[in-house]
Amino acid sequence: MAAAPPRPRVMVLPFPAQGHVMPLMELSHRLVDHGFEVDFVNTDFNHARIVTALAAGGGETRAAAHAGIHLVSFPDGMGPDGDRADIVRLAQGLPAAMLGRLEELARAQRTRWVVADVSMNWVLDLAGTVGVRVALFSTYSATVFALRTLIPKMIEDGIIDESADVRRNEKIKLSPNMPVIDAADLPWSKFDGSPEIRRIMVKGIVKSNPTLARADTIVCNTFHAIESEVLALLPTAALAVGPLEAPRSTSASQLWPEDRACLVWLDAQPPGSVVYVAFGSFTVFDTARLQELADGLALTGRPFLWVVRPNFANGVDQGWLDKFRCRVGDTGLVVGWAPQQRVLSHPAVACFISHCGWNSTMEGVRHGVPFLCWPYFADQFLNQKYICDVWGTGLRIRANERGVFTKEEIRDKVNQLLADDTIRARALSLKRAACESITDGGSSHQDLLKLVNLLKEQ
């Protein structure tokens, strides 16, 4: 009997941050389902965190990583005590630290394709050295991808300067049926950093933009029903394969241990009663903002599940959390990290107080959950615009005249959202569109098959 032909092998390369590792791992699972072997490349630092999170959650790396996904790691160029929350500095050091090792891996595995985070687009250099082909993956919306290609023109027109500071608050409309975008809401203008840091970031984007057309395709975690027009504006052929989903079992993509006991707690709550609160992997609250949120959740009188990761708030220790847990009793549950997609799919969840990161946005859409939007930085303000102004599936939490997000505002917006049948109906309608896109014959399923066929080309 003839031996089975070897499975095609693909390298997958995320930017080393939670919101980038997770969707690319989800895509990797889909590729394995279609017969691929995947070399999934993390940094040494994040690989160690993933292994620790898996062990703390009771899983094992081999079991958690789908058969066919091989976890690989390389140094990120920072020392053990380097500040990896400084994503600009982290990004600057990655090419020198990783490119040579990636070339060695590609040669050793005879890699023909790399699926790379667009934030790692310097990997396109491997096309010249080892002849790989590259599919770029966007961890943000297709709209943000299109906007990044327009940065040089916006600088030339005096809308923003080279540090992304707004000089003229122009209204930007990418296509007739796309939302109007205020220049003040551009992701780079909302980036939390000094003008010099933003200047370095913008300079890097402008420098890399011309190289993007060298990719064979751009893969987006979105779907045609919400971004079909803007997908056509990207610099090379784009495939929309979202909303991506994690496997039901533990996946080797989480940098914090998931508290799955929260699912048992949810089982005990009435349907459509729980306020789910999570702000992703980068948001940081100060003590005053944290206290207003805590008081606001208590004021609602509703059951809530609140994710407070270890580095979520400055100056808040375990003692504060213990006192708050005692205060709210069985009404609320505070966890360090949650299996978010499992939570959002749970019938007890009524709404999602979110920072509106793109992963969270797609997950909320996929499960038909109304949003209360509280963006922190970057593209999250644009995602809020989609949720509140275009899809009509959520409300904004607004600061008062002193810039404070008060406990009363949080309480009132929760009550307003949960009393709004129109928003709930829109969220369920968008859920149907999202689910249709990923079922057999749907637009995202078809684009996934196109990607599979492309990656099988040599």
Side-chain angles (χ1 to χ4, degrees):
M1 180 180 293
R7 290 158 62 98
R9 201 169 189 109
V10 176
M11 185 192 300
V12 175
L13 180 66
F15 183 82
Q18 176 69 79
H20 297 246
V21 171
M22 184 178 66
L24 275 161
M25 180 60 79
E26 291 167 356
L27 179 62
S28 296
H29 284 288
R30 302 290 77 75
L31 294 179
V32 169
D33 290 342
H34 286 276
F36 288 88
E37 297 279 327
V38 173
D39 291 314
F40 195 91
V41 183
N42 281 307
T43 60
D44 291 343
F45 183 83
N46 279 350
H47 177 78
R49 292 181 67 189
I50 286 169
V51 171
T52 300
L54 287 169
E60 294 182 1
T61 303
R62 287 184 180 178
H66 195 304
I69 297 178
H70 310 276
L71 300 181
V72 181
S73 69
F74 297 128
D76 61 12
M78 282 190 164
D81 298 324
D83 180 9
R84 289 167 176 85
D86 184 346
I87 58 176
V88 173
R89 185 180 171 200
L90 175 61
Q92 284 181 304
L94 290 172
M98 297 186 73
L99 195 56
R101 291 176 171 87
L102 293 171
E103 181 177 339
E104 291 172 3
L105 178 63
R107 291 188 190 279
Q109 300 291 4
R110 298 182 179 178
T111 304
R112 300 302 305 146
W113 277 95
V114 178
V115 180
D117 194 318
V118 68
S119 299
M120 307 285 270
N121 59 71
W122 42 262
V123 82
L124 285 160
D125 289 351
L126 291 182
T129 58
V130 291
V132 299
R133 298 171 69 181
V134 177
L136 290 179
F137 182 88
S138 175
T139 55
Y140 36 73
S141 68
T143 296
V144 172
F145 201 118
L147 285 169
R148 69 169 282 157
T149 67
L150 298 179
I151 287 178
K153 184 70 165 59
M154 289 189 281
I155 293 174
E156 179 183 333
D157 291 347
I159 297 172
I160 59 175
D161 64 16
E162 293 180 350
S163 296
D165 288 326
V166 176
R167 294 306 183 203
R168 193 173 81 247
N169 195 11
E170 193 83 7
K171 303 287 187 182
I172 301 163
K173 195 170 178 67
L174 293 174
S175 64
N177 294 318
M178 294 300 296
V180 173
I181 299 163
D182 292 327
D185 283 337
L186 290 170
W188 309 278
S189 301
K190 292 291 189 180
F191 190 81
D192 185 24
S194 68
E196 178 59 20
I197 291 295
R198 293 198 303 275
R199 187 191 67 79
I200 292 170
M201 179 178 60
V202 170
K203 183 179 179 181
I205 292 171
V206 171
K207 181 180 178 181
S208 67
N209 272 345
T211 71
L212 301 181
R214 290 161 48 195
D216 285 78
T217 190
I218 295 168
V219 184
C220 300
N221 184 16
T222 188
F223 56 107
H224 284 269
I226 59 172
E227 290 200 294
S228 59
E229 288 188 22
V230 75
L231 284 163
L233 302 178
L234 302 192
T236 192
L239 300 171
V241 299
L244 290 166
E245 277 200 290
R248 299 290 285 183
S249 60
T250 303
S251 178
S253 64
Q254 301 298 322
L255 304 183
W256 289 276
E258 292 180 336
D259 186 342
R260 297 201 162 213
C262 67
L263 300 174
V264 178
W265 182 85
L266 285 171
D267 289 341
Q269 308 307 316
S273 65
V274 174
V275 179
Y276 175 55
V277 189
F279 288 88
S281 57
F282 270 108
T283 304
V284 177
F285 273 21
D286 59 27
T287 305
R289 184 170 292 195
L290 184 85
Q291 189 66 57
E292 290 290 339
L293 174 55
D295 291 344
L297 292 174
L299 277 177
T300 68
R302 301 176 186 271
F304 63 87
L305 172 59
W306 184 13
V307 177
V308 181
R309 65 174 200 277
N311 58 349
F312 175 64
N314 293 322
V316 174
D317 57 15
Q318 190 60 43
W320 185 94
L321 285 173
D322 290 342
K323 288 179 182 178
F324 180 68
R325 287 187 176 104
C326 289
R327 172 185 166 193
V328 298
D330 294 335
T331 302
L333 181 65
V334 180
V335 298
W337 198 247
Q340 182 160 289
Q341 295 186 31
R342 296 282 299 276
V343 169
L344 291 172
S345 68
H346 199 285
V349 170
C351 68
F352 184 10
I353 300 181
S354 172
H355 66 308
C356 305
W358 188 244
N359 291 322
S360 292
T361 299
M362 284 294 93
E363 289 163 5
V365 165
R366 167 68 180 81
H367 296 292
V369 180
F371 285 84
L372 282 177
C373 300
W374 195 341
Y376 176 65
F377 80 145
D379 64 321
Q380 297 160 12
F381 292 86
L382 278 182
N383 302 340
Q384 173 185 246
K385 191 173 188 69
Y386 261 132
I387 292 165
C388 298
D389 301 339
V390 180
W391 306 331
T393 58
L395 300 172
R396 291 171 170 84
I397 295 177
R398 297 184 184 275
N400 65 14
E401 64 280 358
R402 295 180 289 110
V404 177
F405 295 86
T406 67
K407 54 184 177 290
E408 293 84 7
E409 166 73 0
I410 295 163
R411 176 200 60 197
D412 293 348
K413 283 295 170 65
V414 168
N415 291 337
Q416 181 183 343
L417 181 69
L418 297 188
D420 195 319
D421 292 336
T422 300
I423 288 178
R424 187 178 303 109
R426 286 176 183 148
L428 291 174
S429 177
L430 196 57
K431 172 185 176 178
R432 287 191 292 271
C435 291
E436 287 171 3
S437 75
I438 58 178
T439 56
D440 288 356
S443 61
S444 292
H445 182 254
Q446 291 179 4
D447 274 5
L448 177 62
L449 294 180
K450 289 177 185 176
L451 176 63
V452 165
N453 290 332
L454 183 62
L455 296 179
K456 287 181 178 178
E457 293 179 4
Q458 295 300 309

